[in-house]
């Protein structure tokens, strides 16, 4: 809402912009990352956050801790152990049968109790469906600030978390602080942070915390879990090579050219948002602010103008190649290699040329 | 059955412009719309009401002009609209927003009957946080079902609800008790066109308008800017990359060849990696 | 079907419909207004210049609250060839008066405000509701409308057709013919956003002053048409329109013309670096007096663009729309006050009152102009602009050629291009059409 009597509440408008941390919050120390595991699988975003968390902890000269919540058993122990290989100084485990499946009530209690007991100053979660469900509940229970979908995390001179996120449909970025409440919470979307290198390390300090809840306390029951059919599932976010098409392709038929090139390269294919809206491509293939963030080694964008909402989803790519008929298209402002030509004609030629270069014959050539 | 749907009036972000010099948002002429995600929540609520009877109350916190959005919601077929508006609410972050909305829902409960379900959208297109739904649930002590793709069954007598919730890699089928809060996923239904009678009623309806005091807010310091733990310190435009793209010159040879050469020249390891990943022949 | 009956139903919430609904509602009539757009103005395209006088008649204090952009202090007419323009500029401080006469507006915002006044006056306004058909009784009398909403038929004593240039409902009901391609222009328009200061610097304006450029010439490729550039507070509206029949004949595309217009060396610097946010296309009725259809019948009247009430020569449309809407409403109110039925004979009062107003008088004055411009489009929009440009160059370029020779070469080029009889004929025809 805008307030007529005052300047817009943006930038410096907040009531308390100075840090005046109340006494009882001064005990809050260390950086925590919530390790998201479901059915034995750790979501890669958790390791990405460990990378970011390590940097913050080093700057603050504090510990980095992983928090693993789940059912008792191998999977949770293993996740906790793995966290050391991604930089953890210690790990907290809350393990209980009632935590077998993700349920808001139980997980919120598990995480809020650990926070209240061990008092971290920063708590990071992945902006997945689980992470967002949990973060919102935990922040409200703790009555602290939460910055969602951050694209950059840093600490400033006085040790406060500076969380940067897109605002106004991605046209602008803003940096948000939680100065006078603890913990400072933030969520980050998968693939926004680089995956840190895994370095083999022994699991040293693991602290177990009791949940103190029984099944009868939990109203919500999980009746079943229907996994996505594998064939329909795209591995877009984690692909090494991505080929994507935009409105410049003009028709759903021409989008097949993108798929063709992707097939030859062993790549995943993606698209800009208008193609999803037109129903040409399914929504799990959308790249960008309201779709997937990708960090491939090679990204080829054909007929995509490079709007800011698309850009934020691909900027992490090592090599961005843009094919566009308009030499002034904004995509050339952030692509590394550009080619000004008709994608509808170039794509088939490129597919053929790659097919020739990458044929078994050439394979031998490179191997030798 | 009484259902409350929280909707937010947002600027149509597709039409937002940033001042090229000062990097501030140019709001002039940017139309406002009902947050598109909230329409899925509204339609889900209307379907339940049509099935079980009862009423749908739409609620928004916003400036007085947010009345437009409420009136629209009535056109779609909602029964009642509540506008929560007060200068004390200005500048609220998600925590302060949930405080205000939760207080208003309590007041709605006293005035028009306790809600069985509170619906919100998955997220807004301006705040984009997806936190307000879970926040309201916590404040009201409601059970929450987020990212709901489908409501399988509601049993008003047994006071249970069964729904499919999107989670990573699959769908969780959950069953819980009423009252609860549901955040609806996008593309799960299509908002109806209200009948002529709905449109007529909406055009003439009296919108219930509450100030902080009317809604029963006891602690003004928990509202708006004051009640917001987060502080926006800096707003800025994304920086441009230093150098622009290198354009591939293909005057003398086929463009595809020229492009591939440029790629392999830049990243010598790429060719070997491609060979190992490619399986297109 | 809805049981409730209204005194009048107004179809459309543009300038004409809003004026009609406002006037009737203020008179205490029970009015229902239906608009297919999301809100009044959401679908409306106009340059747009607002003429204060006609609005003042409806809402005297409008200057205090209406979303106005800039009041106009300068008008430029440009005759363009591909590289130059010859211009007539008029700017006067007199236009910085207390109650300025002309303003630029953004229709989407202005109409929204206008509509809020209609609602305040007590009319029931339903948006996102398209009238699909007129409801008629067995005798053909219009008794109400059918809409695209469920159970959407609704009745009234009289229907005011303010549906804009297409006039689809009237045509469908057999009350009038479809507008002919040679009587409508297709205009395309873009909004170019720039910081306020930049616009003021480029147009040499201060405060809320505004300027307007009207341009004709080779940009329309010999078709009958004109380009316009209007300064708003934070954006420039820029567009061009040509007769639909000409587009059909030449195969030119409106967007192609607009692109060319924007790239013209006199235009490009005005919009450089701007962000384009809106592209829209709309028809303008340009048939003038001779194209006006039947204005009323049993149970209906037609107003504004739907009645082809548009003065293409002066680029006036919204004022004719507002005035015809107001007059129709007054006429309907008089018929109602006498408790007479809304028959064609009784509603003819509207026609009579309109004939006495500037609306019909102005259109009559220019009744031959559309045909002239149309028949002579090659000359007016291609040959003459090029000749004039050449003449100006001849006049200005100092290259040692004796002045006398220069003059006769200019005359020669005119005559060669058009012949003496042609030139006199054009001048004569033009003068007569203008008179
Ligand atoms: C809140 C919000 C969230 C959004 N989220 C996303 C998001 O997550 N992802 C996303 O992608 N967008 C998103 N958008 C939309 C975004 O703003 C742009 O509208 C969109 O990315 C444009 O898609 P495009 O590049 O395919 O189409 P266009 O912008 O129309 O660009 C088409 C391009 O193709 C070029 N072209 C035309 N013909 C050819 C040809 N034959 N060969 C080669 N090039 C050609 C043109 O020069 C042009 O540059 C979002 C918008 C909003 C408001
Ligand atoms: C590019 C351009 C520039 C112009 N510049 C100027 C200018 O500078 N000054 C000037 O005075 N005039 C100008 N005009 C002309 C002016 O815009 C019109 O004359 C004026 O808008 C006519 O008003 P109206 O109410 O008759 O029609 P409109 O403003 O077109 O309104 C008609 C309304 O009816 C609605 N409608 C249509 N069909 C239905 C239906 N079946 N059911 C429900 N609703 C329906 C439409 O959505 C619309 O809101 C310009 C026109 C154009 C296209
Ligand atoms: N000011 C508000 N008034 C009413 N509902 C809101 C408001 N802000 C957010 N919501 C609801 O909360 C959901 C999530 O919002 P957000 O957390 O901002 O992404 C929205 O889809 C709305 O249903």
């Amino acid at each position: 809402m805008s307030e007529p009597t005052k300047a817009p509440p943006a930038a410096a408008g907040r009531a308390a912009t100075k840090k005046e941390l109340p006494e009882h919050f001064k005990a809050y120390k260390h950086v925590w990352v919530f390790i998201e595991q479901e059915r034995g699988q750790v979501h890669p975003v958790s390791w990405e956050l460990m990378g970011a968390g390590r940097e913050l902890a080093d700057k603050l000269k504090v510990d980095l801790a992983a928090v693993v919540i789940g059912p008792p058993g191998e999977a949770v122990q293993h996740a906790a152990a793995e966290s050391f290989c991604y930089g953890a100084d210690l790990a907290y485990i809350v393990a209980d049968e009632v935590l077998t499946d993700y349920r808001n009530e139980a997980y919120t209690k598990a995480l809020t109790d650990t926070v209240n007991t061990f008092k971290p100053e920063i708590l990071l979660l992945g902006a997945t469906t689980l992470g967002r469900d949990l973060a919102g509940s935990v922040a409200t229970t703790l009555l602290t600030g939460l910055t969602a979908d951050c694209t950059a995390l840093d600490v400033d001179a006085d040790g406060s978390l500076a969380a940067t996120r897109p605002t106004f449909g991605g046209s602008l970025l803003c940096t948000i602080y939680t100065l006078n409440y603890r913990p400072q919470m933030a969520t980050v979307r998968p693939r926004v942070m680089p995956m840190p290198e895994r370095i083999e390390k022994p699991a040293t300090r693991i602290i177990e915390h009791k949940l103190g809840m029984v099944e009868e306390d939990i109203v919500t029951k999980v009746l079943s879990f229907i996994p996505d059919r594998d064939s329909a599932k795209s591995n877009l976010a984690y692909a090494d090579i991505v080929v994507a098409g935009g409105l410049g392709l003009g028709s759903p038929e021409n989008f097949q050219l993108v798929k063709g090139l992707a097939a030859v390269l062993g790549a995943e294919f993606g698209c800009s948002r208008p193609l999803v809206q037109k129903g040409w491509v399914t929504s799990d293939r959308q790249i960008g602010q309201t779709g997937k963030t990708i960090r491939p080694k090679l990204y080829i964008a054909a007929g995509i103008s490079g709007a800011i909402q698309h850009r934020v989803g691909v900027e992490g790519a090592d090599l961005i190649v843009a094919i566009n008929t308009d030499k002034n298209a904004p995509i050339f402002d952030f692509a590394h290699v550009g080619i000004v030509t008709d994608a509808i004609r170039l794509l088939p030629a490129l597919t053929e040329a790659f097919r020739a270069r990458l044929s078994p014959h050439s394979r031998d050539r490179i191997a030798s | 059955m009484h259902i409350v749907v929280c909707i937010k009036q947002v600027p149509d972000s597709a039409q937002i412009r940033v001042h090229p010099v000062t990097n501030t948002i140019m709001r002039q002429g940017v139309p406002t719309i009902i947050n598109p995600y909230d329409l899925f929540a509204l339609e889900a609520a209307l379907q339940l009401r049509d099935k079980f009877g009862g009423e749908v109350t739409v609620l928004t916190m916003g400036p007085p002009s947010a009345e437009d959005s409420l009136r629209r919601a009535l056109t779609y077929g909602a029964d009642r609209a509540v506008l929560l508006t007060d200068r004390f609410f200005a500048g609220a972050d998600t925590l302060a927003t949930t405080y205000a909305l939760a207080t208003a829902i309590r007041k709605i409960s006293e005035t028009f009957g306790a809600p069985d379900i509170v619906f919100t959208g998955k997220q807004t297109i301006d705040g984009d946080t997806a936190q307000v739904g879970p926040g309201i649930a916590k404040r009201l002590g409601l059970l929450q079902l987020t990212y709901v793709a489908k409501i399988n069954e509601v049993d008003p007598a047994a006071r249970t609800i069964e729904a499919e919730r999107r989670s990573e890699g699959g769908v969780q089928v959950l069953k819980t008790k009423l009252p609860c809060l549901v955040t609806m996923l996008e593309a799960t239904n299509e908002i109806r066109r209200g009948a002529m009678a709905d449109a007529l009623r909406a055009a003439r309806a009296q919108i219930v308008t509450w100030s902080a005091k009317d809604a029963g807010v006891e602690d003004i310091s928990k509202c708006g800017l004051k009640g917001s733990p987060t502080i926006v310190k800096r707003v800025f435009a994304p920086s441009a990359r230093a150098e622009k793209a290198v354009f591939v010159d293909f005057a003398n040879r086929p463009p595809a060849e020229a492009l591939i050469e440029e790629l392999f020249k830049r990243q010598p390891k790429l060719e070997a990696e491609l060979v190992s990943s490619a399986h297109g022949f | 079907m809805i049981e409730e009956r209204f005194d009048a139903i107004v179809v459309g919430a543009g300038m004409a419909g809003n004026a009609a609904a406002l006037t009737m509602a203020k008179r205490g009539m029970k009015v229902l207004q239906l608009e297919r757009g999301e809100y009044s103005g959401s679908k409306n395209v106009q340059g747009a210049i607002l003429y204060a006088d006609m609005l003042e008649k409806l809402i005297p204090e409008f200057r205090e609250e209406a979303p106005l952009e800039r009041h106009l202090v300068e008008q430029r007419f440009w005759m363009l060839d591909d590289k130059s323009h010859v211009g007539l500029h008029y700017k006067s401080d007199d236009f910085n008066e207390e109650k300025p006469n002309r303003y630029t507006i953004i229709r989407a915002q202005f109409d929204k405000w206008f509509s809020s006044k209609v609602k305040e006056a007590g009319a029931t306004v339903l948006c996102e509701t398209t009238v699909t058909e007129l409801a008629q009784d067995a005798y053909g009398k219009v008794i109400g409308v059918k809409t695209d909403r469920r159970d959407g038929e609704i009745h009234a004593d009289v229907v005011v057709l303010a549906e804009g240039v297409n006039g689809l409902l009237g045509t469908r009901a057999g009350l009038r013919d479809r507008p002919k391609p040679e009587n409508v222009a297709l205009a395309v328009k873009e909004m170019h956003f720039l910081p306020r200061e930049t616009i003021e610097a480029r147009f040499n304006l201060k405060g809320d002053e505004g300027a307007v450029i009207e341009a004709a010439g080779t940009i329309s490729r010999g078709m009958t048409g004109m380009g316009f550039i209007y300064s708003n507070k934070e954006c420039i509206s820029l567009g061009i329109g040509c007769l639909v029949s000409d587009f059909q004949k030449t195969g030119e595309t409106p967007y192609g013309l607009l692109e060319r217009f924007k790239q013209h060396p006199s235009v490009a610097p005005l919009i450089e670096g701007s962000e384009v946010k809106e592209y829209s296309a709309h028809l303008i009725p340009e048939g003038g007096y001779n194209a006006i259809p039947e204005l009323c019948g049993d149970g209906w009247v037609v107003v504004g663009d739907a009645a082809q009430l548009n003065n293409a020569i002066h680029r006036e449309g919204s004022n004719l729309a507002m005035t015809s809407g107001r007059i129709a409403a007054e006429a309907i109110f008089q018929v109602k006050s006498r408790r007479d039925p809304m028959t064609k004979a009784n509603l003819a009062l509207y026609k009579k009152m309109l004939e006495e107003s500037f609306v019909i008088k102005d259109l009559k004055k220019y009744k031959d102009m559309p045909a002239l411009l149309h028949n002579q489009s090659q000359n007016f929009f291609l040959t003459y602009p090029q000749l004039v440009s050449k003449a100006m160059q001849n006049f200005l370029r100092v290259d040692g050629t004796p002045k006398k020779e220069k003059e006769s070469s200019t005359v020669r080029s005119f005559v060669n291009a058009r012949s003496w009889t042609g030139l006199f004929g054009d001048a004569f025809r033009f003068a007569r059409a203008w008179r």
Side-chain angles (χ1 to χ4, degrees):
Chain A
M1 296 181 59
S2 64
E3 192 178 5
T5 49
K6 249 205 249 164
R14 296 259 187 233
T17 47
K18 281 209 314 284
K19 187 163 165 179
E20 291 157 10
L21 196 61
E23 207 49 46
H24 65 280
F25 282 138
K26 293 205 169 128
Y28 284 67
K29 277 268 168 305
H30 310 301
V31 178
W32 285 16
V33 172
F34 169 72
I35 305 296
E36 173 175 335
Q37 73 77 40
E38 265 189 301
R39 290 171 299 284
Q41 293 276 318
V42 173
H43 196 294
V45 70
S46 307
W47 303 143
E48 293 161 18
L49 284 178
M50 288 297 287
R54 185 70 263 170
E55 281 177 27
L56 297 177
D58 289 347
K59 279 186 192 155
L60 291 166
K61 302 197 171 57
V62 297
D63 285 344
L64 173 66
V67 187
V68 192
I69 299 177
E74 176 57 28
V76 164
Q77 294 300 331
H78 181 72
E82 272 296 291
S83 71
F84 289 86
C85 306
Y86 287 101
D89 297 309
L90 74 161
Y92 295 94
I93 290 181
V94 187
D96 194 299
E97 289 302 340
V98 306
L99 297 166
T100 303
D101 286 302
Y102 174 74
R103 282 177 297 177
N104 178 275
E105 298 149 89
Y107 271 64
T108 302
K109 179 165 168 43
L111 192 53
T112 31
D113 284 356
T114 358
V115 166
N116 283 331
T117 313
F118 301 101
K119 302 186 183 352
E121 59 189 307
I122 292 175
L123 171 57
L124 308 178
L125 298 90
T128 57
T129 52
L130 190 161
R132 285 173 141 202
D133 183 283
L134 181 60
S137 301
V138 170
T140 313
T141 312
L142 297 169
L143 296 176
T144 189
L146 162 57
T147 308
D149 285 12
C150 301
T151 52
L153 299 172
D154 202 353
V155 287
D156 72 358
D158 75 350
S160 305
L161 178 68
T164 298
R165 70 180 304 253
T167 177
F168 283 107
S171 351
L172 289 178
L173 297 170
C174 61
T175 304
I176 296 180
Y177 287 76
T178 299
L179 291 180
N180 301 323
Y181 299 84
R182 289 293 177 269
Q184 308 160 82
M185 289 180 63
T187 63
V188 179
R189 298 200 324 162
R191 296 304 262 165
V192 167
M193 302 291 172
M195 177 65 80
E197 200 186 332
R198 182 183 182 283
I199 299 165
E200 195 59 49
K201 284 237 181 76
T204 43
R205 287 162 61 199
I206 294 186
I207 299 169
E208 303 233 5
H209 190 70
K210 283 264 161 318
L211 176 66
M213 207 179 197
V214 289
E215 186 58 42
E216 288 66 44
D217 298 337
I218 306 174
V219 180
T220 305
K221 307 292 174 201
V222 179
L223 302 185
S224 62
F225 182 83
I226 310 161
D228 291 329
R229 272 193 305 124
D230 263 346
S231 58
K233 208 176 97 191
S234 79
N235 188 30
L236 187 55
Y238 289 89
D240 277 340
I241 305 166
V242 175
V243 186
L247 266 190
L249 295 176
S251 72
E253 292 72 46
N254 287 337
F255 190 76
Q256 299 305 319
L257 304 175
V258 166
K259 287 191 184 169
L261 177 59
V264 163
L265 294 176
E268 287 285 347
F269 66 89
C271 66
S272 64
R273 183 160 88 155
L275 273 53
V276 173
Q277 287 169 331
K278 281 178 180 285
W280 297 359
V281 187
T282 53
S283 63
D284 57 330
R285 297 286 174 177
Q286 181 186 321
I287 299 172
Q289 191 198 341
T290 46
K292 299 228 155 58
T293 304
I294 59 172
R295 304 181 74 86
K297 291 183 178 143
L298 174 63
Y299 176 55
I300 302 178
I304 294 180
S305 61
I308 182 69
Q309 294 89 1
H310 188 79
R311 175 179 168 170
V312 296
V314 302
E315 262 177 328
D318 293 343
L319 181 58
I320 301 175
V321 181
I323 310 168
N324 199 303
T325 41
D326 174 9
K327 68 174 192 317
N328 294 319
I331 194 155
F332 293 127
D333 294 344
F334 59 93
H336 303 94
V337 176
I339 183 161
V340 180
T341 187
D342 181 355
I344 298 159
R345 291 169 58 183
L346 181 65
L347 284 173
L350 201 56
T351 307
E352 275 323 303
F354 267 122
R355 196 195 297 274
R357 287 289 286 250
L358 307 177
S359 68
H361 167 71
S362 329
R363 232 184 244 220
D364 301 339
R365 182 169 55 77
I366 292 167
S368 64
Chain B
M1 197 152 179
H2 186 198
I3 304 171
V4 172
V5 184
C6 298
I7 65 169
K8 187 179 183 194
Q9 173 163 307
V10 295
D12 187 350
S13 58
Q15 304 202 31
I16 281 190
R17 287 162 291 116
V18 177
H19 193 291
V21 182
T22 59
N23 271 338
T24 48
I25 295 287
M26 295 162 73
R27 283 168 188 270
Q28 194 208 17
V30 178
T32 52
I33 53 174
I34 297 181
N35 176 38
Y37 293 110
D38 299 349
L39 294 177
F40 303 111
L42 178 56
E43 177 60 27
L46 293 172
Q47 285 178 10
L48 289 176
R49 177 205 60 188
D50 291 350
K51 192 161 168 194
F52 299 108
E55 286 181 325
V56 171
T57 301
V58 283
L59 165 67
T60 194
M61 175 181 89
S65 63
E67 191 192 310
D68 291 350
S69 291
L70 289 173
R71 220 170 269 287
R72 264 188 108 203
L74 294 174
T75 316
Y76 295 127
D79 300 280
R80 179 188 300 111
V82 178
L83 171 63
L84 189 59
T85 187
D86 200 310
R87 64 190 175 83
F88 293 116
F89 295 135
D93 74 354
T94 51
L95 194 73
T97 300
T98 58
Y99 176 73
L101 289 174
T103 310
I105 292 171
R106 273 193 210 102
K107 180 79 182 184
I108 286 174
S109 177
E110 283 165 23
T111 321
F112 307 111
D116 301 287
I117 304 178
V118 175
F119 274 100
T120 72
K122 180 186 91 174
Q123 67 195 71
T124 50
I125 60 167
D126 61 342
D128 222 354
T129 73
Q131 285 162 18
V132 169
I136 295 172
K138 269 292 157 291
R139 289 195 181 263
L140 292 174
L142 294 176
L143 297 158
Q144 80 185 46
L145 300 173
T146 53
Y147 300 97
V148 169
K150 190 163 164 242
I151 296 174
N152 291 341
E153 204 187 309
V154 173
D155 186 338
R159 302 201 54 73
T160 57
I161 177 170
E162 186 192 307
E164 293 181 10
R165 169 181 185 273
R166 168 118 303 263
S167 77
E168 302 294 317
V171 169
Q172 260 186 339
V173 184
L174 295 174
K175 185 166 186 166
T176 194
K177 285 226 152 68
L178 300 180
C180 71
L181 180 136
V182 175
T183 82
M184 269 322 268
L185 211 57
E186 66 273 21
T188 44
N189 56 38
E190 197 176 332
I191 189 77
R192 64 192 56 200
R193 257 181 85 64
M196 191 68 176
D198 291 318
L200 268 176
R201 190 173 44 81
R204 297 159 169 177
Q206 191 69 36
I207 306 275
V208 180
T209 305
W210 287 340
S211 65
K213 193 158 158 268
D214 298 336
V217 169
E218 276 159 14
D219 190 350
I220 286 295
S221 72
K222 287 186 183 158
C223 295
L225 213 53
K226 269 216 176 95
S228 299
T230 62
I231 295 158
V232 180
K233 273 227 168 155
R234 201 160 83 88
V235 180
F236 56 103
S239 58
R241 220 169 53 90
E243 75 271 34
K244 282 192 80 166
V246 170
F247 285 105
V248 175
D249 176 16
F250 52 89
N252 309 319
R253 56 207 187 116
E257 298 292 334
L259 177 57
I260 293 178
E261 263 333 299
E262 175 67 30
L263 297 186
F264 290 167
K265 194 179 85 198
R266 273 180 162 257
Q267 293 214 342
K269 280 198 292 194
L270 193 63
E271 184 166 9
E273 281 167 11
L274 282 178
V275 166
S276 69
S277 74
H279 44 62
F281 28 84
Chain C
M1 189 171 124
I2 300 285
E3 288 303 321
E4 192 178 347
R5 260 188 88 82
F6 287 81
D7 292 336
I9 291 175
V10 179
V11 183
M15 292 288 194
N18 282 341
L22 177 75
T23 307
M24 290 189 288
K26 272 190 173 165
R27 298 279 193 193
M29 289 176 63
K30 189 172 168 196
V31 178
L32 176 67
Q33 187 182 33
L34 303 170
E35 164 59 46
R36 69 179 164 173
E38 200 177 313
Y39 51 88
S40 167
S42 62
K43 294 236 166 121
N44 295 340
V45 181
Q46 188 180 329
I49 298 175
L50 171 81
Y51 304 94
D53 180 65
M54 293 73 194
L55 182 58
E56 234 169 352
K57 290 207 165 66
L58 293 161
I59 307 171
E61 67 294 348
F62 80 92
R63 287 187 182 83
E64 278 132 55
E65 11 169 315
L68 304 168
E69 291 286 309
R70 293 171 180 275
H71 67 275
L72 295 177
V73 297
E74 180 176 352
Q75 178 90 24
R76 307 180 190 173
F77 300 98
W78 285 359
M79 192 180 254
L80 304 177
D81 76 350
D82 288 349
K83 283 197 205 140
S84 72
H85 76 260
V86 181
L88 169 71
H89 293 199
Y90 182 73
K91 180 171 186 173
S92 171
D93 202 35
D94 286 348
F95 291 131
N96 280 319
E97 56 211 325
E98 196 191 332
K99 294 190 164 179
N101 177 251
R102 299 192 305 158
Y103 295 90
T104 51
I105 53 170
I106 294 173
R107 277 290 296 271
Q109 291 163 29
F110 179 85
D111 287 16
K112 220 174 177 176
W113 168 82
F114 200 172
S115 178
S116 73
K117 292 281 143 188
V118 175
K119 287 179 204 159
E120 266 171 38
T124 303
V125 182
L126 303 190
C127 293
E128 291 180 287
T129 308
T130 306
V131 173
T132 49
E133 230 182 297
L134 295 175
Q136 287 168 291
D137 69 9
Y139 307 98
K141 178 178 164 33
V142 172
I143 54 170
V145 298
K146 297 178 184 173
T147 68
D148 64 340
R149 286 194 181 273
R150 198 153 26 89
D151 306 324
E153 184 168 335
I154 190 156
H155 291 176
D157 295 342
V158 63
V159 174
V160 178
L161 290 167
E163 48 171 330
V165 56
N166 275 324
L168 228 54
L169 294 173
T171 311
R172 264 187 216 150
L175 308 176
R176 53 170 290 183
D177 295 333
R178 273 191 71 157
K180 296 193 183 68
E182 62 270 26
N183 284 341
V184 279
L186 175 61
V188 288
K189 187 191 120 182
E190 285 181 352
M191 306 269 273
H192 287 250
F193 284 84
L194 282 166
R196 224 193 137 113
E197 316 78 62
T198 312
I199 294 180
E200 280 154 22
R202 286 184 189 175
F203 285 84
N204 196 15
L205 303 167
K206 56 180 202 302
D208 282 344
E209 289 178 347
V212 159
I213 303 172
E214 311 251 32
T218 58
I219 36 158
S220 65
R221 289 292 181 260
M223 304 190 287
T224 307
M226 255 205 272
F228 61 85
I229 303 172
Y230 298 165
S231 58
N232 298 314
K233 280 199 180 111
E234 288 184 355
C235 69
I236 294 171
S237 308
L238 172 150
I240 185 165
C242 288
L243 288 180
V244 171
S245 55
D246 280 353
F247 280 124
Q248 288 172 346
K249 234 174 16 219
T250 58
E252 293 275 350
T253 65
Y255 195 65
L257 289 192
L258 184 63
E259 279 304 303
R260 242 183 349 249
F261 185 41
K262 287 195 297 188
Q263 281 159 19
H264 191 282
S266 298
V267 177
L270 292 174
I271 53 171
E272 198 201 309
S274 66
E275 196 186 339
V276 188
K277 264 295 159 178
E278 260 180 69
Y279 173 81
S280 47
H282 204 269
L283 297 172
I284 310 179
E286 301 215 328
Y289 183 75
N290 295 325
I292 300 175
E294 192 69 77
L295 289 171
C296 61
D298 286 337
W300 62 274
V301 297
V302 58
V303 295
D305 275 7
Q308 300 267 321
L309 301 173
N310 199 300
N311 185 342
I313 310 297
H314 283 268
R315 298 226 155 218
E316 293 175 26
S318 63
N319 52 334
L320 282 71
M322 275 190 276
T323 305
S324 59
R326 178 176 56 79
I327 290 179
E330 298 285 3
I332 289 169
F333 179 68
Q334 284 192 31
V335 175
K336 185 182 152 66
S337 309
R338 292 198 298 258
R339 303 191 175 216
D340 282 342
M342 297 289 167
T343 57
K344 179 167 183 170
N346 289 331
L347 289 170
L349 177 62
Y350 157 53
K351 208 169 147 186
K352 187 161 155 275
M353 289 164 72
L354 201 64
E355 272 161 3
E356 283 159 15
S357 75
F358 80 95
V359 174
I360 298 290
K361 285 185 181 157
D362 280 4
L363 290 175
K364 241 185 191 151
K365 174 173 187 299
Y366 294 117
K367 71 179 188 318
D368 297 325
M369 205 67 172
L372 171 66
L373 289 178
H374 186 47
N375 297 336
Q376 299 292 324
S377 60
Q378 282 285 329
N379 293 324
F380 283 114
F381 297 97
L382 205 57
T383 317
Y384 292 158
Q386 283 167 347
L387 291 175
V388 170
S389 163
K390 214 160 148 198
M392 285 310 287
Q393 281 231 5
N394 224 345
F395 183 71
L396 295 171
R397 203 181 279 281
V398 178
D399 56 5
T401 319
K403 298 287 183 251
K404 178 137 179 112
E405 248 171 63
K406 283 202 168 200
E407 261 174 38
S408 53
S409 108
T410 299
V411 173
R412 250 195 330 274
S413 64
F414 269 82
V415 175
N416 285 347
R418 194 63 191 101
S419 87
W420 279 112
T421 45
L423 276 177
F424 280 120
D426 288 351
F428 180 70
R429 274 190 290 268
F430 194 77
R432 210 177 45 191
W434 193 271
R435 204 186 38 191

